[in-house]
């Protein structure tokens, strides 16, 4: 009986994660107390940070909240930080939590409008280079005002919708009925060739869209969670943030859009595949049928969502309230005027944001450990000991490398907190502090497109339902992101070093 219970406990521990991953985490939990009592809290603190970064890097094996949370519970029990220190971190960063709670949920209710726009673009533009440019630019524009994860989710929803329609038609089934999208057995060879080409076409569009969220996300206060965190530390409002970051973000945006067009024209790195004519005909017929069946209530709902989007942009630009509260305003307006009164439908909007909100609390627990043990103080002192003109470039590189293998919110939280403390201690001027803040923001946003681990939107795409359908693997994603990584990372470093 005891053996069966032990086996059940081992099976339940971290669920479907591989055995080696479970064993590794158990080793971490056993090792940390030994290190604390033999080598001291500083060494143990660094080991704990590395362990936490490992859980972020292995996000595809297990969502980091559970393993990272266990590590942080152990840190609290070992006295490496205190519950009060964690609570103080949460209070200080409450605007970021508010953003995730309400803004992501607010944008959820705009999905129909965003899906409508992306669908019209895909079917209305024949030139693949122009289509890719529009997808990239529109994703960048939306991500500058909305949440990058939500924009990515909309693009994924559109791609899944288009893929399922053609797959069902090619399989001889009703395009409006559920079917097995994983199997190609019922598809004829000619249609199978079109399907393979369609997969490559969707892969390239989704990658352009995901990169677009990074290009736009770096530009504004609400583009990424770490932007709001940095802006909060600096006391920047929406307009302040935009103009401070613009010397880096605007050239990188222009270069990213040029790279998008060149990749399609040159057909490098898996880009350039065209939409097959047979697939276009099927999708166009389906869209026309949808338009004919759209009710008056659905058309009014699209109009309400459009007006809410306009109110959102104006409210953010004028900074009439904290960003999270503006998100709550969007929720109230859209639900009140589109007939959404059911508690369960409201709850679904919050479902996507809550796991990451909980994970963010764990991030702040790690930050509390770093503060209490002063882990990053020597590193920051080394950077500040460099000549002033070299410091922004070095911070950009340090943030970029760490963000590519970890989470950029985590990295930004650590660096901006340490740099602000150095400013408060009188080690730099306000002007130089702002320059370093821009370097931290752009360093966590731009080079992190190198891997799915670095960008939440990339990781979301890789773990979504569409990835296996269009054969988008981790390695292929890294390969397709490589030219963007070189351009965005290289130009970003140059701008931070020589333009700021």
């Amino acid at each position: 009986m005891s053996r069966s219970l032990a086996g059940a406990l081992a099976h339940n521990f971290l669920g479907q994660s591989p055995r080696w991953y479970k064993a590794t985490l158990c080793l971490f939990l056993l090792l940390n107390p030994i290190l604390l009592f033999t080598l001291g809290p500083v060494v143990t603190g660094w080991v704990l940070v590395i362990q936490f970064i490992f859980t972020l890097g292995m996000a595809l094996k297990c969502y980091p909240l559970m393993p990272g949370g266990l590590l942080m519970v152990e840190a609290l029990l070992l006295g490496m930080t205190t519950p009060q220190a964690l609570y103080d971190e949460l209070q200080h960063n409450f605007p970021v939590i508010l953003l995730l709670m309400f803004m992501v949920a607010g944008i959820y209710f705009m999905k129909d409008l965003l899906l409508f726009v992306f669908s019209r673009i895909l079917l209305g533009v024949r030139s693949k280079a122009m289509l890719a440019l529009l997808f990239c630019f529109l994703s960048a524009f939306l991500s500058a005002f909305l949440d990058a994860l939500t924009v990515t989710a909309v693009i994924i929803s559109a791609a899944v919708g288009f893929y399922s329609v053609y797959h069902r038609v090619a399989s001889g089934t009703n395009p409006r009925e559920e079917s097995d999208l994983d199997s190609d057995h019922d598809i004829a060879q000619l249609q199978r060739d079109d399907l393979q080409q369609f997969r490559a076409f969707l892969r390239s569009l989704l990658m352009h869209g995901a990169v677009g969220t990074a290009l736009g996300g770096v530009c504004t206060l609400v583009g990424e969670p770490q932007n709001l965190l940095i802006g909060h530390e600096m006391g920047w409002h929406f307009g302040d943030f935009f103009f401070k970051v613009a010397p880096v973000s605007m050239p990188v945006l222009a270069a990213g859009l040029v790279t998008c067009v060149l990749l399609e024209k040159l057909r490098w790195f898996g880009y350039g595949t065209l939409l097959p004519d047979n697939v276009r005909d099927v999708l166009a017929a389906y869209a026309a049928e949808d338009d004919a069946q759209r009710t008056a209530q659905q058309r009014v709902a699209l109009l309400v969502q459009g007006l809410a989007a306009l109110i959102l942009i104006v409210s953010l630009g004028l900074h009439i309230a904290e960003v999270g509260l503006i998100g709550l305003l969007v929720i109230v307006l859209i639900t009140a005027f589109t007939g959404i009164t059911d508690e369960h439908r409201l709850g679904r909007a919050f479902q996507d944001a809550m796991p990451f909100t909980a994970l963010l609390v764990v991030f702040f627990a790690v930050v509390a450990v770093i503060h209490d043990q002063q882990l990053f103080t020597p590193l920051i002192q080394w950077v500040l000991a460099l000549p002033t003109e070299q410091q922004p470039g070095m911070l950009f590189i340090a943030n970029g490398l760490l963000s590519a293998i970890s989470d950029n919110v985590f990295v930004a939280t650590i660096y901006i907190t340490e740099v602000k403390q150095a400013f408060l201690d009188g080690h730099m001027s306000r002007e130089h502090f702002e320059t370093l803040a821009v370097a931290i923001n752009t360093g966590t946003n731009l080079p992190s497109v190198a891997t799915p681990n670095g960008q939440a939107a990339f990781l979301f795409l890789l773990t979504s339902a569409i990835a296996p359908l269009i054969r988008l693997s981790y390695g292929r994603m890294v390969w397709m992101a490589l030219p963007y990584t070189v351009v965005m990372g290289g130009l970003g470093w140059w701008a931070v070093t020589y333009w700021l």
Side-chain angles (χ1 to χ4, degrees), residues 210-276:
V211 170
T213 64
L215 289 170
V218 70
C219 297
T220 66
L221 186 67
V222 296
E224 293 284 353
Q226 68 267 23
N227 297 13
L228 186 62
L229 189 147
I230 292 172
H232 175 64
E233 294 288 354
M234 301 301 299
W236 290 340
H237 295 317
F238 191 88
D240 302 324
F241 187 98
F242 176 81
F243 288 110
K244 295 291 184 182
V245 178
V248 181
S249 61
M250 290 298 101
V252 171
L253 174 61
L257 296 177
V258 171
T259 302
C260 171
V261 175
L262 288 177
L263 287 173
E264 288 297 330
K265 293 290 187 181
L266 299 173
R267 300 194 174 189
W268 289 354
F269 295 91
Y271 295 97
T273 304
L274 303 178
L275 177 65

Side-chain angles (χ1 to χ4, degrees), residues 179-363:
S179 64
D180 185 8
L181 301 179
D182 296 320
S183 174
D184 297 346
H185 293 307
D186 297 328
I187 299 177
Q189 184 58 47
L190 177 60
Q191 292 171 318
R192 190 170 297 182
D193 292 340
D194 284 339
L195 182 61
Q196 293 295 345
Q197 186 176 339
F198 188 35
R199 283 172 173 150
F201 171 84
L202 289 177
R203 277 198 305 269
S204 61
L205 280 188
L206 285 170
M207 284 301 297
H208 288 311
V211 170
T213 64
L215 289 170
V218 70
C219 297
T220 66
L221 186 67
V222 296
E224 293 284 353
Q226 68 267 23
N227 297 13
L228 186 62
L229 189 147
I230 292 172
H232 175 64
E233 294 288 354
M234 301 301 299
W236 290 340
H237 295 317
F238 191 88
D240 302 324
F241 187 98
F242 176 81
F243 288 110
K244 295 291 184 182
V245 178
V248 181
S249 61
M250 290 298 101
V252 171
L253 174 61
L257 296 177
V258 171
T259 302
C260 171
V261 175
L262 288 177
L263 287 173
E264 288 297 330
K265 293 290 187 181
L266 299 173
R267 300 194 174 189
W268 289 354
F269 295 91
Y271 295 97
T273 304
L274 303 178
L275 177 65
D277 291 335
N278 293 334
V279 177
R280 180 184 293 277
D281 293 341
V282 169
L283 298 181
Y286 185 88
E289 186 178 338
D290 258 1
D291 288 342
Q293 295 178 354
R294 185 171 288 114
T295 65
Q297 288 86 350
Q298 290 171 327
R299 289 194 291 271
V300 169
L302 289 177
L303 178 61
V304 169
Q305 291 172 33
L307 292 174
L310 181 61
I311 292 172
L312 170 65
I313 293 172
V314 173
S315 299
L316 290 173
L318 298 178
H319 196 76
I320 65 170
E322 277 292 345
V323 174
L325 296 180
I326 296 174
L328 181 59
L329 169 65
V330 169
I331 294 174
V332 171
L333 291 177
I334 294 180
T335 55
F337 289 97
T338 58
I340 299 174
T341 57
D342 183 72
E343 181 181 352
H344 296 293
R345 292 183 66 188
L346 282 170
R348 179 63 186 86
F350 291 89
Q351 183 176 323
D352 292 334
M354 285 302 103
F356 189 73
T357 304
L359 180 59
L360 192 65
V361 174
V362 178
F363 286 171

Side-chain angles (χ1 to χ4, degrees), residues 89-215:
E89 287 291 337
L90 295 178
Q91 276 192 315
H92 184 66
N93 293 286
F94 183 66
V96 181
I97 297 174
L98 204 62
L99 164 74
L100 291 173
M101 288 171 58
F102 292 131
M103 184 61 80
V104 175
I107 304 309
Y108 172 86
F109 292 109
M110 292 186 187
K111 276 189 175 181
D112 290 341
L113 174 66
L114 298 174
L115 191 60
F116 177 82
V117 171
F118 277 106
S119 300
R120 288 300 176 272
I121 291 174
L122 191 145
L123 292 174
V125 179
R126 294 269 178 175
S127 168
K128 178 62 187 304
M130 181 58 66
L131 180 62
L133 180 63
L134 285 173
F135 256 70
C136 191
F137 176 78
L138 189 56
S139 297
F141 178 79
L142 291 173
S143 295
F145 295 96
L146 312 180
D147 175 68
L149 283 178
T150 302
V151 175
T152 305
V154 170
I155 301 173
I156 291 172
S157 298
V160 170
F162 287 129
Y163 181 88
S164 60
V165 167
Y166 181 73
H167 191 279
R168 289 163 186 162
V169 170
S171 302
T173 60
N174 188 328
R176 298 186 183 277
E177 294 181 357
E178 293 297 323
S179 64
D180 185 8
L181 301 179
D182 296 320
S183 174
D184 297 346
H185 293 307
D186 297 328
I187 299 177
Q189 184 58 47
L190 177 60
Q191 292 171 318
R192 190 170 297 182
D193 292 340
D194 284 339
L195 182 61
Q196 293 295 345
Q197 186 176 339
F198 188 35
R199 283 172 173 150
F201 171 84
L202 289 177
R203 277 198 305 269
S204 61
L205 280 188
L206 285 170
M207 284 301 297
H208 288 311
V211 170
T213 64
L215 289 170

